[in-house]
Each structure stands twice: as C-alpha cells, then as structure tokens.
Amino acid sequence: MNSDELKSTIQMIASAGKGILAADESTPTITKRFSALNITCTEDSRRQYRELLFTTPDIAQYICGVILYEETLNQTSSQGIGFAELLAQKNIIPGIKVDKGLINLPFSEEKTTQGLDGLGERLISYKKLGVRFAKWRAVFSISDNTPSALLMRTNAEDLARYGAICQEIGIVPIIEPEVLIDGNHTLEQCAKISEKVLHQVMHKLYKHQVMLEYVILKPSMVTPGKNCQVKKNAMEIAKATITVLKRTVPGALPTINFLSGGQTPIEATANLNAMHQVDQSLPWNVSFSFARALQEPCMKAWGGDPKNVTIAQNSFLQRCKLNSLASLGQYNPSLEKP
Ligand code: 13P
C-alpha cells in the first residue's frame, strides 16, 4: 500500500470550488435517459455523448474528477485518445464505478449491491489504465419497515470491504450510501434513517481499517420523499443534512461530495449552497458528485444531434460553474438563466 498516491488523489479531489462529474450510468440506465429524449442508444452514441461532456472547454475549472462506466474507460475520443488519458491531460482524475449493481437481498423486498468477487484484480487492471478512484453505491429505501437492520448491516459491511480493497491497491474509494428519495416519508424520517445508515457505515469503515483520510463520502441529502406533502426549503434541507453529517462523520474524512438523487438541477445546486450558509466553517470540503443535476439540461440540448454539441456543452458548463459556486456558498438563484 502506497499512501502517497492516495494522498495526492484525495488532495486533488478535495480542491475548493471543484466537484466530481458522475458519468458512470450503466448501459440500461443511460438507455432509459436517452430514450426519454428520443435519443438512439448505441455504443457509439454513448461514446459521442461522453466525448461531448469531457471535451467541454474549461470544464477543468470546476471539475476535478469524473466517474466512468467500464465501457467508457475502454473507448476513445474521435481523435483516438483513450478517455482516461484525455481527462488526465486536462488535470481531471479518472475514476470508475466498480459495483455490479443491485440484487435482491434474499427473503426480503430489499436490494443490496453486488461486485466484491474479483474486485482486487479488476482494480489493478483499471489502475493500469490511469484510474485513481472508484465508486460503490448502496441503496436504502424508506418505508414502514425498511431499511431493515439486516440491510443496513450488510450494505455497511460491503461498503467497508470495498473501501479497504481499494485503499490497499492505492485507489481512493467513493463510499456512496444513498437513502432513496422515492416515497412519501418526511424530512424527519429521512434524517433518522440517514443518521442510522451513516453511523453504521462509519463504524464498519473503522472495523475494516479503512483510512478515513483517503475516503470520499458520497451521501444523499436529507430531504422529504418525492411524494411527501410537506415540502421543505433549501435552508431546512441543508440544516437537517449538516446536523446528520456532524453527528456521524469524523472531521478526519476530507471531502463529502453529494449525489443529486432525483432532485432538479436547480434544487440540488440551491441545497448544496445552503449547506455553506448553515455553517461557514464545515469540518470537511462539501461539494458535489452529481450525474443528473449536472447532465440533464445538457443531454436535452444535445438530443443526439451533432449540430447541438456547442450549445449542449455551454449548458453543461453553466451547471458545472453554478455548482462550483454552490460548493463555496457563493451561488445565487439570480444566476440561473430564465
Ligand atoms: P445522481 O446525481 O443522478 O443521483 O447520480 C449520482 C450517482 O450516484 C451516479 O454515480
């Protein structure tokens, strides 16, 4: 284990004013996103779309890392440059999603994450291609009887085992426990579950000797469920989120990069910004690792048509910039174009 490489990776990821682009949608997920916009989904259209994102001029001002899907890691730009290399040339760190998606937790309605078998060998081969950080996502659904104690224990254990395997190989792990926004639960219920989940995850990281100094935490924000009648504003969401994080996440962990989880792009940006209003000296770097909240307007503007590349890149750059401002507490809704 070489902690120097973990250290240099985490320092770049925790740079103030920068965040992570999650462009690691699995093929079924990006197919769904494309087909909602009538974009044909082929290996080449996915490649073209990702090339559009990564070659956006000035993206490195706001983005320090990109999470790739394995298919993209093995693809090249239209100039024949591998995508990991293309990003590294811009001083953006390539990362990769390494979990293999969700499977049923036997004898229950819940889903856990698979992918630990052979993980070490996969990480070694990704590292040879320039990958320096990885991502593993576990999900927790809120209902009257979920998440169960068994699921919370299982997911926390697997996140910690994955984290330890990554660090031993010199790869910084993104630990992503996502409390899903689907449902009609209240903000208070979400806070209670998020606290339990994060508490267990931190405990298991300790048990597996994962060094918190070299971990990126990617949690969901504490929000009411999508179908909850009682809506909350950005300040209320930020207060609840920061309260839960302060109770559970040690200051040794350098950076928290939120997922957007189905919030609109503007909501996600406003909520991130509000975290910095709640507390102006947070113990961690607090930034973003969004997929939908960074990409939605851009994917729509592109629509699969090469003629729209520049307009789509402008729209992507705008979201990167506004989220960068939000990660410094300097965003203002008046900056949104009508
Ligand atoms: P969203 O920001 O769309 O929730 O996606 C984040 C993510 O986890 C993909 O890695």
Side-chain angles (χ1 to χ4, degrees):
M1 207 266 315
N2 172 357
S3 61
D4 287 348
E5 53 188 355
L6 295 172
K7 198 171 185 171
S8 76
T9 304
I10 200 82
Q11 272 172 353
M12 277 182 72
I13 295 286
S15 318
K18 292 195 181 183
I20 299 171
L21 163 66
D24 61 326
E25 298 85 357
S26 63
T27 303
T29 300
I30 197 156
T31 304
K32 212 163 54 188
R33 306 245 159 101
F34 275 11
S35 68
L37 297 169
N38 287 323
I39 303 170
T40 313
C41 198
T42 62
E43 187 178 341
D44 198 52
S45 68
R46 296 191 288 275
R47 191 199 62 74
Q48 286 173 35
Y49 174 65
R50 266 97 186 218
E51 176 165 358
L52 174 164
L53 295 175
F54 307 158
T55 57
T56 295
D58 299 331
I59 145 186
Q61 276 185 38
Y62 313 114
I63 299 292
C64 53
V66 173
I67 316 172
L68 302 168
Y69 187 58
E70 190 175 16
E71 175 186 88
T72 318
L73 182 65
N74 294 314
Q75 289 176 326
T76 56
S77 70
S78 31
Q79 315 293 318
I81 305 170
F83 281 131
E85 171 64 23
L86 184 145
L87 291 168
Q89 283 174 5
K90 291 175 183 272
N91 224 14
I92 296 175
I93 307 184
I96 189 159
K97 167 191 170 77
V98 297
D99 67 70
K100 291 201 168 260
L102 303 174
I103 42 160
N104 289 330
L105 183 71
F107 307 115
S108 84
E109 302 288 298
E110 300 184 282
K111 291 197 183 304
T112 188
T113 308
Q114 61 186 339
L116 283 174
D117 283 2
L119 178 60
E121 289 87 62
R122 282 197 286 134
L123 286 170
I124 289 167
S125 66
Y126 298 146
K127 197 176 177 201
K128 287 189 185 134
L129 294 171
V131 163
R132 290 170 58 187
F133 70 98
K135 183 196 105 165
W136 179 287
R137 171 174 176 259
V139 300
F140 304 85
S141 175
I142 303 182
S143 72
D144 287 347
N145 43 14
T146 63
S148 66
L150 175 66
L151 184 83
M152 285 192 279
R153 211 164 45 237
T154 304
N155 280 353
E157 185 85 35
D158 290 350
L159 277 166
R161 285 198 60 202
Y162 140 82
I165 295 168
C166 285
Q167 286 190 343
E168 198 171 40
I169 290 168
I171 299 266
V172 169
I174 293 187
I175 302 283
E176 182 178 359
E178 176 171 4
V179 176
L180 296 169
I181 201 168
D182 309 304
N184 56 10
H185 52 270
T186 60
L187 175 93
E188 292 72 22
Q189 285 171 302
C190 182
K192 205 167 151 198
I193 298 295
S194 301
E195 186 173 338
K196 270 192 191 174
V197 164
L198 286 167
H199 177 76
Q200 293 226 22
V201 169
M202 290 300 144
H203 177 65
K204 294 291 187 183
L205 292 178
Y206 170 75
K207 289 280 184 193
H208 284 266
Q209 303 183 58
V210 174
M211 293 167 286
L212 292 188
E213 288 78 3
Y214 310 124
V215 164
I216 302 162
L217 180 67
K218 174 164 171 165
S220 35
M221 298 182 192
V222 174
T223 66
K226 265 228 138 98
N227 300 324
C228 178
Q229 300 299 318
V230 189
K231 303 294 173 204
K232 297 287 180 177
N233 64 32
M235 225 34 202
E236 291 166 318
I237 288 171
K239 269 189 196 144
T241 306
I242 293 300
T243 301
V244 166
L245 289 171
K246 281 193 177 166
R247 286 181 182 172
T248 51
V249 184
L253 187 144
T255 185
I256 297 179
N257 293 67
F258 286 99
L259 58 92
S260 57
Q263 303 176 66
T264 67
I266 294 179
E267 278 167 1
T269 310
N271 293 343
L272 174 61
N273 188 64
M275 314 246 182
H276 294 274
Q277 325 276 289
V278 167
D279 184 337
Q280 285 164 25
S281 54
L282 291 165
W284 334 268
N285 181 56
V286 173
S287 185
F288 58 92
S289 172
F290 298 157
R292 282 164 288 179
L294 281 175
Q295 296 183 48
E296 255 172 29
C298 162
M299 196 185 281
K300 199 166 166 195
W302 175 58
D305 188 339
K307 285 204 298 289
N308 298 332
V309 165
T310 304
I311 185 171
Q313 287 183 327
N314 288 341
S315 143
F316 173 55
L317 192 68
Q318 169 77 351
R319 289 262 54 91
C320 293
K321 184 177 172 182
L322 295 179
N323 283 301
S324 159
L325 289 170
S327 75
L328 298 166
Q330 294 169 6
Y331 163 80
N332 189 308
S334 66
L335 298 168
E336 296 288 350
K337 284 187 195 138

